[in-house]
Amino acid sequence: MLNKLGREIPEKIAGIKEVKPFEGAFAIKPTGRKVGSEVTGAPKGNSKIVDSIKEAIIKSGLKDGMTISFHHHFREGDYVLNMVMDVIAEMGIKDLTIASSSLNKVHEPLIKHIKNGVVTQLITSGLRGKLADEISHGLMEKPVIIRSHGGRARAIEMGDIKIDVAFLGAPSCDQYGNANGYDGKSFCGSLGYGIIDSKYADRVVLITDNLVPYPNTPASISQTDVDYVVVVDSIGDPKGIVSGATRYTKDPRELLIANYAAQVMEASGYLKSGFSMQCGTGGASLAVARFLKEKMIKDNIVASFGLGGITGQFVELFEEGLINKLFDVQCFDLKAAKSIGENKGHCEIDASLYANPFNKGCIANLLDFVVLSALEVDTDFNVNVITGSDGVIRGASGGHCDTAAGAKLAMIVCPLMRGRIPTVVKKVNTVITPGETIDVVVTDRGVAVNPARKDLIEKLSKTKLPLFTIEELQEKAEKITGTPEPIEYTDKVVGIVEYRDGSIIDVIRQVK
């Protein structure tokens, strides 16, 4: 069947109860009730510590066919997922679904566990590295289900994802299961994705390398949600939480894009004291905050809050009094990871409060600006952030579609071309964020405004910004790069992209 964007959607999908084609960003209204975890009692005594991961797995009752979860707050520094999966494989448990908040290059060992039948389905926000490449070329029988961060929280709370056992890395933990992410040698900052898992999984196993005296307060994960605690030598490398995506750019092209973006924000009328914002992790996205800082100081503008994956740049703005509060679902660098434990106004939030569309008010709904990156944007303003120009998975849905839907001004910043590959195209490989929720596209060769935003077109036409239609930008790119050769796919679906409301916005097919 075809969805609203003309994307062909399978009628049945393994791991999805009811296949609903995407019909619009706000077409599906919240219904139903939240689910809950199984009711259990605490073990006798004042400690939940078990001797090993194996013992925790045995006590959890993990069996063939169940669903387990992990968080990705350690990113490329994560040791927990591979450590746990190796023990599970040794125990002979098979046919598991892994519902991790995201997967990274460091999780390449999952390939062997998929090949030997230990893992038969993945539910995640994104995939990278060799694991992503193998899946793009048909490694798995069941397609990977891609959910946004807000969509994952919604799916867990509504029972679309039923987590049997959550294995959560905890940088600081006491013997009864109170944990936080900002103390200890493996600190990662916010545990915003792990918090949701701890509240809804039937069994919760915390894995720590930093056991501290009871009570470990304040606790991000509460003792009331934890079954077992395992102490190991190391759960992760803090240096690995800083990915290349969070770099400070000196690229003149990215700085030009950021300058244009800051001008768009200033001209929009939303840039005034009390405004709110989130910036993505690309070089140009992060550079926007640097340009805004000058304007904020000059005009005595103070933001009400910054949201999202928080970076050191946002911490600096907060510490300089230019942002009143930081709402942090994950820390993107060590400066942010330390700040959340030191600054009272740097507030840890879970993924549902961040971006779940089916609660009574996620913070993404209160954004004035969100500045996001893109691998591709098409002439309908649809955005791809997950598959490359070769069709291979190499990114993540993240909070992209969540924040675009919630913000008053959702802006994409990207170069017009990368090498000889156009970024503005007629049709993106994979839709993650629908064009109806994107307001402006800013490139180094010009700015395009969604025709639905006549108010923005009028305001920006009074500036010196180089304004074009999105079609003109696409033609400009193609004149330089030529028309790209179409990617060859097989009929096999290797990935399902679920929109934040549970509808299916696109599929990813196997690359030939």
Side-chain angles (χ1 to χ4, degrees):
M1 47 189 171
L2 296 180
N3 66 15
K4 184 183 179 182
L5 302 180
R7 302 284 170 146
E8 192 175 310
I9 307 300
E11 293 185 0
K12 292 183 179 180
I13 299 169
I16 293 181
K17 297 173 188 173
E18 180 188 357
V19 177
K20 296 173 284 189
F22 175 78
E23 293 298 335
F26 307 100
I28 296 179
K29 305 302 179 188
T31 58
R33 303 186 72 84
K34 289 183 181 180
V35 299
S37 60
E38 184 179 346
V39 176
T40 58
K44 188 175 181 179
N46 62 359
S47 176
K48 298 178 183 177
I49 297 174
V50 296
D51 289 337
S52 66
I53 290 173
K54 182 176 181 178
E55 185 182 351
I57 292 169
I58 293 169
K59 286 181 176 292
S60 75
L62 183 66
K63 294 180 175 62
D64 291 2
M66 285 187 168
T67 297
I68 60 178
S69 76
F70 302 87
H71 68 65
H72 75 287
H73 289 286
F74 301 116
R75 274 182 287 283
E76 295 299 346
D78 180 40
Y79 297 162
V80 172
L81 187 148
N82 293 337
M83 190 188 313
V84 171
M85 291 312 303
D86 285 346
V87 177
I88 287 173
E90 289 170 7
M91 295 173 66
I93 299 171
K94 302 276 188 178
D95 190 25
L96 296 179
T97 294
I98 292 180
S100 180
S101 53
S102 201
L103 294 166
N104 294 295
K105 293 176 184 177
V106 71
H107 300 127
E108 181 180 324
L110 276 178
I111 294 171
K112 67 182 178 185
H113 297 309
I114 292 168
K115 288 180 176 178
N116 64 23
V118 175
V119 178
T120 53
Q121 185 155 43
L122 298 176
I123 301 172
T124 179
S125 172
L127 295 161
R128 295 170 180 84
K130 191 173 181 182
L131 175 63
D133 186 74
E134 292 262 7
I135 288 170
S136 299
H137 287 89
L139 173 66
M140 304 189 74
E141 288 304 310
K142 295 178 184 177
V144 176
I145 298 173
I146 303 292
R147 286 188 170 103
S148 70
H149 291 326
R152 180 179 187 267
R154 175 205 56 77
I156 290 172
E157 292 186 1
M158 300 296 290
D160 293 346
I161 300 175
K162 164 68 167 57
I163 302 171
D164 294 295
V165 187
F167 296 93
L168 307 175
S172 176
C173 185
D174 65 31
Q175 75 270 20
Y176 215 54
N178 296 295
N180 69 54
Y182 43 80
D183 288 326
K185 64 181 182 180
S186 303
F187 70 97
C188 61
S190 174
L191 293 177
Y193 301 120
I195 293 170
I196 287 292
D197 296 47
S198 74
K199 291 183 180 300
Y200 287 88
D202 280 350
R203 297 289 184 275
V204 175
V205 179
L206 296 190
I207 301 171
T208 188
D209 55 10
N210 179 38
L211 191 68
V212 299
Y214 182 91
N216 186 26
T217 57
S220 306
I221 293 175
S222 169
Q223 64 188 45
T224 60
D225 297 318
V226 176
D227 294 281
Y228 308 107
V229 176
V230 183
V231 182
V232 297
D233 291 336
S234 184
I235 57 173
D237 178 1
K239 294 176 183 175
I241 78 169
V242 184
S243 67
T246 59
R247 62 193 162 80
Y248 283 79
T249 185
K250 294 181 180 178
D251 185 326
R253 183 171 66 165
E254 290 184 333
L255 293 174
L256 177 62
I257 294 168
N259 189 4
Y260 286 160
Q263 290 182 56
V264 170
M265 294 166 78
E266 183 177 355
S268 71
Y270 301 136
L271 187 61
K272 54 190 176 184
S273 276
F275 82 96
S276 56
M277 65 175 172
Q278 176 173 333
C279 290
T281 56
S285 301
L286 291 171
V288 172
R290 289 156 62 188
F291 284 99
L292 282 184
K293 179 178 177 179
E294 298 173 13
K295 173 69 177 174
M296 292 168 72
I297 292 171
K298 176 174 172 287
D299 291 351
N300 197 28
I301 295 172
V302 177
S304 59
F305 68 85
L307 176 65
I310 296 299
T311 64
Q313 277 194 69
F314 267 43
V315 171
E316 288 170 10
L317 291 172
F318 167 78
E319 291 178 341
E320 291 171 22
L322 296 174
I323 300 179
N324 285 332
K325 289 285 192 298
L326 298 176
F327 291 122
D328 193 342
V329 72
Q330 66 174 319
C331 296
F332 274 128
D333 54 40
L334 300 185
K335 187 179 180 77
K338 270 299 179 188
S339 167
I340 200 169
E342 297 170 349
N343 287 314
K344 187 178 178 181
H346 189 163
C347 310
E348 182 177 36
I349 61 171
D350 66 40
S352 185
L353 178 55
Y354 170 47
N356 178 0
F358 283 15
N359 63 28
K360 296 179 182 180
C362 65
I363 299 179
N365 289 347
L366 301 177
L367 281 170
D368 289 309
F369 301 107
V370 63
V371 183
L372 299 164
S373 302
L375 293 173
E376 294 178 314
V377 186
D378 68 24
T379 51
D380 290 319
F381 287 82
N382 298 313
V383 184
N384 169 26
V385 289
I386 199 161
T387 51
S389 57
D390 54 0
V392 173
I393 300 169
R394 60 181 72 252
S397 175
H400 203 284
C401 68
D402 300 310
T403 51
K408 289 179 183 175
L409 196 161
M411 179 162 45
I412 300 298
V413 291
C414 59
L416 189 66
M417 303 160 290
R418 290 185 176 92
R420 299 294 297 177
I421 306 297
T423 303
V424 182
V425 296
K426 289 180 180 176
K427 185 178 180 181
V428 294
N429 290 332
T430 310
V431 180
I432 292 291
T433 300
E436 66 182 282
T437 63
I438 299 299
D439 300 300
V440 182
V441 174
V442 178
T443 76
D444 53 320
R445 303 293 184 98
V447 177
V449 182
N450 191 320
R453 291 298 308 266
K454 292 181 172 54
D455 58 325
L456 284 176
I457 293 172
E458 182 180 347
K459 288 174 179 176
L460 297 186
S461 65
K462 297 174 183 176
T463 70
K464 295 181 180 180
L465 285 164
L467 296 182
F468 298 89
T469 66
I470 194 74
E471 292 82 5
E472 287 171 336
L473 287 182
Q474 185 274 321
E475 290 167 5
K476 191 187 288 249
E478 198 168 293
K479 279 181 183 177
I480 299 169
T481 65
T483 305
E485 290 293 320
I487 303 166
E488 291 190 58
Y489 297 102
T490 70
D491 292 334
K492 180 178 178 179
V493 174
V494 298
I496 300 293
V497 181
E498 191 177 277
Y499 191 58
R500 63 199 301 252
D501 61 7
S503 62
I504 309 303
I505 196 167
D506 211 345
V507 299
I508 303 169
R509 288 186 165 80
Q510 178 183 339
V511 177
K512 275 189 179 179

